[in-house]
Structure formats: C-alpha cells, structure tokens
C-alpha cells in the first residue's frame, strides 16, 4: 500500500482552529525554555488566513503542519513553520519549507528569510544544514531572535 503524500494548500478561515492547535502542539515544548509562549502561539490565524498568509500541510486528509509566509520590505519571509509533533521525521516541515521557497521563487525573489528564537537551539542547527545563513541577532517584539537568509 502506498503511503499518503503531503499536500500543501492555502488555508481558509475555517482552518484557524486546526492551525492554532497544530502550532500550539508544535511550540508548547518551548514555553518553559523561553519563559513565555512563542510568538506563533499568540497569532490570530483566522485573520492571517483571510490575508492569504497561511498555508497548511495535509497528510491523509488531516492538517499536520502550518506555514505562515508573506512579503515584507526585507524580502519573502517565512514567519512560522510548524509540524504536529506526531509527524516529526515524516517530511512535513521539509515540505512546508520547500513550498515556501517555491513561492518565493515564483514571486521573483532571489532569497528567502526567516528567524527563530535564540532559545530554539534545534533550529539553529537545522537551518544552516539546509542552506540558510545567519545574518543577524536582535530583540524583536520582546523575543531574542536569530535571523537567517537562503539564496534561491
């Protein structure tokens, strides 16, 4: 039997609760480490979806990942990538990142950027392995952030 494939689609406002639940499950382990909820746990996913900034990954008809991405003055920004904890190692996160990179290229961008909390050390190991280069560290919105950019 063939394994179901991961599909990425634009989220609609009706996905807001499912997206928030996925985000909360993915980011909950960091609350104690950071000392407060990571920023993505505080977002209004219905509003972001209505603005066309949210995408979801589905596996077997279930939402298992969330991507928040949009254009900024600094370029094409991946705000949030999250995969449900039970899907770690299945390629959900990779599918979302590859989707974002394709979106950026399709919109004419030559690079893409993202940031992570300085206390999310796992991400600081992962992003350089997949082509992202650190270019800044600074406080933003009450969080210590590490910024990365990848040439496309």
């Amino acid at each position: 039997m063939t394994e179901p494939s991961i599909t990425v689609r634009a989220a609609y406002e009706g996905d807001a609760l499912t997206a928030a639940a996925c985000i909360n499950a993915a980011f909950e382990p960091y609350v104690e480490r950071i000392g407060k909820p990571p920023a993505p746990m505080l977002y209004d996913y219905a509003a972001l979806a209505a603005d066309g900034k949210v995408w979801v990954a589905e596996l077997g008809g279930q939402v298992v990942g969330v991507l928040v991405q949009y254009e900024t003055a600094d370029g094409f920004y991946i705000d949030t990538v999250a995969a449900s904890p039970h899907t770690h190692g299945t390629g959900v996160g990779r599918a979302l990142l590859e989707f974002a990179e394709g979106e950026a290229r399709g919109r004419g961008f030559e690079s893409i950027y993202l940031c992570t909390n300085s206390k999310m050390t796992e991400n600081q190991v992962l992003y350089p392995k997949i082509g992202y280069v650190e270019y800044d560290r600074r406080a933003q919105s009450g969080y210590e952030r590490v910024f990365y950019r990848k040439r496309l």
Side-chain angles (χ1 to χ4, degrees), residues 53-115:
K53 296 177 178 176
V54 182
W55 301 80
V56 294
E58 290 184 324
L59 185 61
Q62 300 291 325
V63 171
V64 294
V66 179
L67 169 69
V68 179
Q69 62 178 3
Y70 47 88
E71 296 178 24
T72 73
D74 293 328
F76 198 82
Y77 180 54
I78 299 174
D79 181 290
T80 305
V81 176
S84 295
H86 73 278
T87 66
H88 285 183
T90 64
V92 172
R94 179 187 320 269
L96 289 168
L97 286 169
E98 289 173 356
F99 179 85
E101 292 168 8
E103 282 286 301
R105 273 192 297 278
R107 296 181 192 192
F109 289 90
E110 294 179 1
S111 68
I112 193 166
Y113 77 106
L114 54 78
C115 69

Side-chain angles (χ1 to χ4, degrees), residues 3-49:
E3 295 268 332
S5 62
I6 300 163
T7 58
V8 179
R9 66 166 173 81
Y12 49 87
E13 289 181 67
D15 289 319
L17 290 177
T18 304
C22 181
I23 293 287
N24 288 340
F27 284 91
E28 180 64 33
Y30 297 111
V31 172
E32 185 175 343
R33 191 185 306 177
I34 294 171
K36 61 183 173 182
M41 293 177 81
L42 307 175
Y43 293 168
D44 178 343
Y45 287 95
L48 288 169

Side-chain angles (χ1 to χ4, degrees), residues 129-148:
K129 286 182 179 178
I130 59 174
Y132 287 81
V133 177
E134 180 182 334
Y135 71 90
D136 195 12
R137 287 179 181 249
R138 67 179 180 267
Q140 184 185 51
S141 304
Y143 296 92
E144 291 298 319
R145 304 237 166 108
V146 182
F147 288 80
Y148 294 88

Side-chain angles (χ1 to χ4, degrees), residues 109-129:
F109 289 90
E110 294 179 1
S111 68
I112 193 166
Y113 77 106
L114 54 78
C115 69
T116 190
N117 190 287
S118 65
K119 294 184 178 175
M120 294 181 179
T121 53
E122 302 86 345
N123 294 341
Q124 294 171 56
V125 172
L126 170 67
Y127 292 136
K129 286 182 179 178

